[in-house]
Amino acid sequence: MRTTLLRSLPIVARALGDKLGVDVRIGGNQAYTDGKMIVLPSLPEDSDTCEILARGYIDHESGHIRFTDMTVAGATPVEHSLTSVIEDVRIEGLMEAHYPGCRTNLAKLVDRLVEDGSISSPQENSHPANILLRYVWVEGSYRFRNRPVLEPVAKEATKVLEQTFPRGAAVRIRALIGKIPSLESTAESLALAKRILKSLEEPEEPEIEEPGEPGEPGEPEESEESGEPEEPGESGEPGEPGESEEPGESEEPGESEEPGESEEPGEPEESEESEESEESEESSEPEESSEPEEPGEPEEPEEPGEPGEPEEPEEPGESGEPGEPGESEEPDEKVKAAKRVADATEDDLPKGVSEVTAQNLEQSVEKEVTANNRGITIAGYGGAPKISSTPDIAKVRQVSAGIRAKLAGLVQATRLERRRLCRVGRLDTRRLPRIFTGDPRIFRGKERVVKHDTAVSILLDRSGSMSGGIGMAVESVLAVTIALAGIPKTEVEVSAFPGGTPQEVYRLKRFGARTNPAEFGINAEGGTPMTEALWLVASRLVYRPETRKLCFVVTDGEPNDMDGTKSIIEKMERSGIECIGIGIGSPGIYSLFPSAVYINRVEDLASTLFALLRKRLATKAAA
């Protein structure tokens, strides 16, 4: 288990959300997003699998929160889902462009999902809409997001797509997917989804598949000029009279009506008299086959002007033209499959990458969380607290003025330069007699007292047991907060727990913000979820740039989770965060914090906080 906070998975997840500008909550047993914040299940401190899934999920969902317009939706389930699939590819590209670290997280996520089979090519017997959506995501991610692990999946998905839909539709879909990198909004993603679905309704054009086929009227020269090696042998090679009379081969020159170009030497009469050629065909057919008649030959008299037509009935079947029984069955099935896409229900559609990742994360957390590797819940900042009573501002300012004057003198003292004797520097003639005693320190020097910049987080317990003294406690904390605002290189934040729910904390002042006394008018209610609140404070302090990091906890009772509270305090201390507990009428504070102060009355809170701050600010940071 990781003993420090810097690499603890819950802390990493929170920090990642802060970096991306998204509120990340950690607690419960589900992973989801409501379009404004991301919720993760209670995470183990140390799990490689959970970390890959959590990082990828946060990056992916942050992209939707930042770049997807949630008000844009398709009119049908398949239209809405296809838009979401296109958005998945689009927003990941934007996240990678704005935050280069997302590229690694998202690539590892896809690798993991492919490895465990969560991402795979569609099955041939799947619903056509399922096949279409899987193909669009796999092909888009492989082509535009540079996911090499998807190459075999994309090839198989392309194969299934071509087996399911008409060839023209498959070509059009692939061409439309190429427009994803140029999309700039969710509305454009929806428009592209509509175009892809519309392309499935477009009729197929048979002539696209037929150009250059021999035996068609008006194209005899193309078939002769194509230079196929079989035609010369079949139509006029010496010593093979049977092959020269092959129907559909030797008669093409007669169709071209250009004997000077198409006739070969030794056969001038056959090209001039079509009747004789027909007789020669009839006489030669018995020699080529033991059957007296071919099944398709009775159709020859229907087209007397085109003696080369007997073999043409095979060509329409090959090109898929209607009217040929048996040959049009497969194209008809593909056309039906294309039409079924529009009628797909939600049950026919595949799960999106968000849903797949969330499900895998929930399952992984359930496996990883054990008695020795417990799940961690980190409180999130709730909304504005319900104001019960406004603090006495005049009284608060009077107290804070006295504290500020004392703290200002303290800071001034720590910044003064102290003179000292040394071996080098400016000669101090009054110290020359030291030479006779062997002391070389006869020079004057200056020593600058070390002063550290400091981040201070004050966490106030507002549980129901504080109802009798919550007003005085709030005023004391507010007075100290206002006083610290005048200390250079000192940043302060103030929070109160619990918030609206046990998993929430009220933020009364944030780092770098001005103090607003009106936001401190809170009441007392609820339990004492100190563990969750301390995890939140730790996630805020551990990545702060200040050298000194102090956490003051003001409480009057024991936390709901004693073991969990002790564990997080130990981790904070090992990570360089000094934790100081102030117990109001609660001697048990000494068993929780390595540094603690016990006071009998809430009225003594202001002076106690000042004394602790003076001591901490005047000394060097703990090594």
Side-chain angles (χ1 to χ4, degrees), residues 261-281:
E261 296 181 3
S262 62
E263 289 183 358
E264 296 186 3
E267 296 183 354
E269 296 180 358
E270 292 182 2
S271 62
E272 293 174 359
E273 297 178 6
S274 61
E275 296 179 358
E276 296 180 3
S277 64
E278 293 178 5
E279 296 176 357
S280 64
E281 292 175 6

Side-chain angles (χ1 to χ4, degrees), residues 47-106:
S47 171
D48 294 337
T49 299
C50 291
E51 181 171 354
I52 291 174
L53 294 171
R55 281 176 173 268
Y57 186 74
I58 292 173
D59 285 352
H60 182 86
E61 292 303 318
S62 296
H64 282 299
I65 292 175
R66 292 175 61 89
F67 301 113
T68 295
D69 184 355
M70 302 299 178
T71 63
V72 177
T76 63
V78 66
E79 192 176 276
H80 180 73
S81 295
L82 183 55
T83 302
S84 299
V85 167
I86 295 173
E87 275 289 280
D88 287 340
V89 181
R90 185 183 76 88
I91 60 98
E92 285 189 1
L94 293 174
M95 289 298 292
E96 292 176 0
H98 287 77
Y99 305 98
C102 291
R103 183 185 303 275
T104 300
N105 292 341
L106 294 172

